[in-house]
Amino acid sequence: MKSAFLSVLICVCLWPAFGAVDYTKFSHSTPKHKSACNTCHKIPTKNWTKVSQYPDVTDFPDHDACVSCHRAQFFKGARPPICSVCHSKTSPRDEARYVFRNPATTLQFTIEFPHDRHQDVIAQQRTSSPSVKLLAHAAPQQFNNCTICHGGTVFAVGAPAPTPTPNPPTSDTDGLGLIPYKASPTQHSACFNCHWKSQEPVAANCNGCHKLAAAPYSRSPAPHRISRNFIHEGGGEKKQHVAECTTCHINITKSATLRGLRPDVPITSCTECHNKEGLRQDLSKELTALDKNRAFTCVYCHAPDVGSLDAPVSHYLIAQRPPLKRKDIK
């Protein structure tokens, strides 16, 4: 009897610390939150015309989505903790909400995007000859492939820019240079041209692209760039970098998922121009400078954090030289 009473007492004492639910945090992994998305999210939301150019989910679910299960928590006191999931102020007289999606919260869903399928579809829609597009010296063109989604250039804060650099940053934040990237889709507008209602997964089928992650995570601000000085629109006066994307990104279009996806550009894509006999010897020049000074930093392509490492074996193979470690250079 005494042991049973003690067990009950322990449970009662520990319940606030270990058993209580934190209603200030919402998780899609909660079993009762795994219903169909349109149980709570309405597509489109009522306010979409004010914040978007196309029908979309642009706001948190209405109150009825919460009250249907959480009436007790919804009316708990003057400032119910559960309201802080969506509202920036938990007050019955203030309806202010966070921006949707709240950038301060972690992500709960991953995105399944098969590059291989989309590349096949885009390839069927090409109207001009691929052989013309592969000519690096041809006039700049808007290729009907990856640039449909990855058009334009954006800049992300990164490591300090090397000097000199082919693309000096236009501004600087705490000494961090701005790194050029090809833009990536961040909104449904890139998808809904095809996937609104005519082609699966359609707009109402959220689970077709969004998969619940094993644990909440934070999105990295930008992908890691090894050759940060490369500019897609560069290549001198002739703009020789402007070419069919898969000329350099040879494996990315075969990927059936975004998980673990990397740009995957082999060194040979660069050295066809930048280390070719009779043309230029950019790679060999840097390796020669490294021979003379093992503290030399390769900055023609790389930022100092990468350029100060040992040159990869692939670089030495291209230059037809045996690989060396910096510690072995005298």
Side-chain angles (χ1 to χ4, degrees), residues 6-276:
L6 183 61
S7 298
V8 172
L9 182 63
I10 291 174
C11 291
V12 170
C13 294
L14 294 181
W15 171 256
F18 297 100
V21 177
D22 184 359
Y23 286 104
T24 64
K25 295 180 175 60
F26 178 88
S27 174
H28 285 92
S29 61
T30 301
K32 290 187 177 181
H33 294 167
K34 292 184 178 181
S35 303
C37 300
N38 59 9
T39 303
C40 299
H41 296 278
K42 303 308 175 186
I43 306 173
T45 43
K46 296 177 182 177
N47 71 331
W48 75 264
T49 56
K50 299 178 181 179
V51 295
S52 177
Q53 296 180 343
Y54 56 93
D56 198 8
V57 179
T58 57
D59 200 358
F60 295 95
D62 290 332
H63 286 153
D64 56 355
C66 309
V67 177
S68 59
C69 294
H70 296 287
R71 178 173 291 273
Q73 292 78 31
F74 197 81
F75 294 104
K76 187 176 182 179
R79 300 178 183 274
I82 196 172
C83 298
S84 64
V85 173
C86 304
H87 293 273
S88 54
K89 293 183 179 179
T90 53
S91 168
R93 298 183 179 180
D94 195 329
E95 296 183 354
R97 298 188 182 193
Y98 293 112
V99 175
F100 183 85
R101 197 193 62 85
N102 184 359
T105 60
T106 54
L107 300 176
Q108 298 185 33
F109 288 87
T110 60
I111 297 176
E112 290 293 320
F113 180 85
H115 271 99
D116 52 355
R117 294 185 186 179
H118 288 81
Q119 184 68 17
D120 291 343
V121 171
I122 292 170
Q124 293 173 1
Q125 297 176 349
R126 293 177 181 167
T127 56
S128 57
S129 171
S131 61
V132 175
K133 295 179 182 179
L134 290 172
L135 295 176
H137 61 271
Q141 303 177 52
Q142 292 297 321
F143 297 114
N144 188 26
N145 54 13
C146 310
T147 54
I148 292 176
C149 296
H150 299 283
T153 299
V154 295
F155 293 88
V157 174
T163 304
T165 174
N167 187 36
T170 55
S171 62
D172 201 71
T173 304
D174 296 330
L176 297 177
L178 296 178
I179 306 175
Y181 292 86
K182 295 301 286 185
S184 296
T186 57
Q187 298 178 337
H188 285 135
S189 57
C191 313
F192 283 173
N193 282 337
C194 298
H195 294 285
W196 175 240
K197 288 185 177 180
S198 61
Q199 187 171 339
E200 287 286 356
V202 295
N205 181 14
C206 308
N207 193 51
C209 300
H210 301 276
K211 308 295 183 182
L212 187 62
Y217 66 98
S218 297
R219 179 180 295 159
S220 57
H224 177 60
R225 277 287 295 272
I226 297 176
S227 302
R228 62 146 290 170
N229 285 341
F230 179 84
I231 306 171
H232 286 87
E233 291 77 18
E237 294 181 358
K238 295 182 179 180
K239 300 289 184 183
Q240 292 186 347
H241 289 174
V242 182
E244 177 72 35
C245 302
T246 52
T247 303
C248 300
H249 297 280
I250 60 175
N251 291 323
I252 201 165
T253 56
K254 300 177 184 177
S255 175
T257 177
L258 293 179
R259 290 195 296 269
L261 191 64
R262 298 191 304 169
D264 198 19
V265 176
I267 184 66
T268 51
S269 296
C270 309
T271 54
E272 278 297 304
C273 293
H274 288 277
N275 210 68
K276 199 165 187 177

